[in-house]
């Protein structure tokens, strides 16, 4: 099971608590943020807006698939009735 890393703000706060000098604190904070931004930029992430667009598209395609399945079932039943032997 993968461990979930702590939030970035929490890590920065803990580092800041360990550093006493304000000039060192600012430098550590700056470097930590740059490191985090660099790591995040290498990940294959999408923004919330793009995610919402894709989720909406998926929902519409699922609805369309349901409609098409119902139409296919209806056509199959019609074909079965048309080609079934008369008893």
């Amino acid at each position: 099971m993968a461990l979930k890393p702590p939030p970035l703000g929490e890590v920065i706060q803990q580092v800041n608590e360990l550093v006493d000098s304000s000039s060192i604190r600012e430098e550590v904070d700056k470097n930590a943020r740059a490191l985090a931004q660099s790591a995040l930029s290498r990940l294959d992430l999408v923004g919330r807006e793009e995610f919402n667009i894709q989720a909406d598209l998926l929902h519409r395609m699922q609805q369309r698939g349901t409609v098409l399945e119902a139409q296919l079932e209806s056509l199959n039943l019609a074909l079965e009735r048309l080609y079934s032997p008369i008893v």
Side-chain angles (χ1 to χ4, degrees):
M1 183 167 117
L3 296 174
K4 183 178 177 184
L8 180 59
E10 186 177 312
V11 172
I12 291 173
Q13 180 182 358
Q14 289 174 355
V15 169
N16 283 337
E17 289 172 0
L18 295 174
V19 180
D20 289 334
S21 171
S22 75
S23 65
I24 293 174
R25 178 180 294 172
E26 290 172 8
E27 188 66 26
V28 168
D29 186 50
K30 177 182 161 187
N31 289 335
R33 288 183 189 276
L35 179 63
Q37 288 297 327
S38 174
L40 288 173
S41 69
R42 288 190 300 259
L43 297 176
D44 189 18
L45 302 174
V46 296
R48 174 55 67 182
E49 183 178 346
E50 179 65 21
F51 176 84
N52 289 339
I53 290 169
Q54 294 299 320
D56 182 51
L57 180 62
L58 175 61
H59 180 69
R60 286 185 291 164
M61 292 300 106
Q62 287 172 330
Q63 288 177 329
R64 181 69 178 142
T66 301
V67 168
L68 290 173
E69 286 175 348
Q71 289 175 344
L72 182 60
E73 181 65 27
S74 176
L75 289 171
N76 281 335
L77 290 173
L79 282 173
E80 286 177 12
R81 284 193 301 269
L82 182 63
Y83 290 108
S84 66
I86 300 175
V87 179

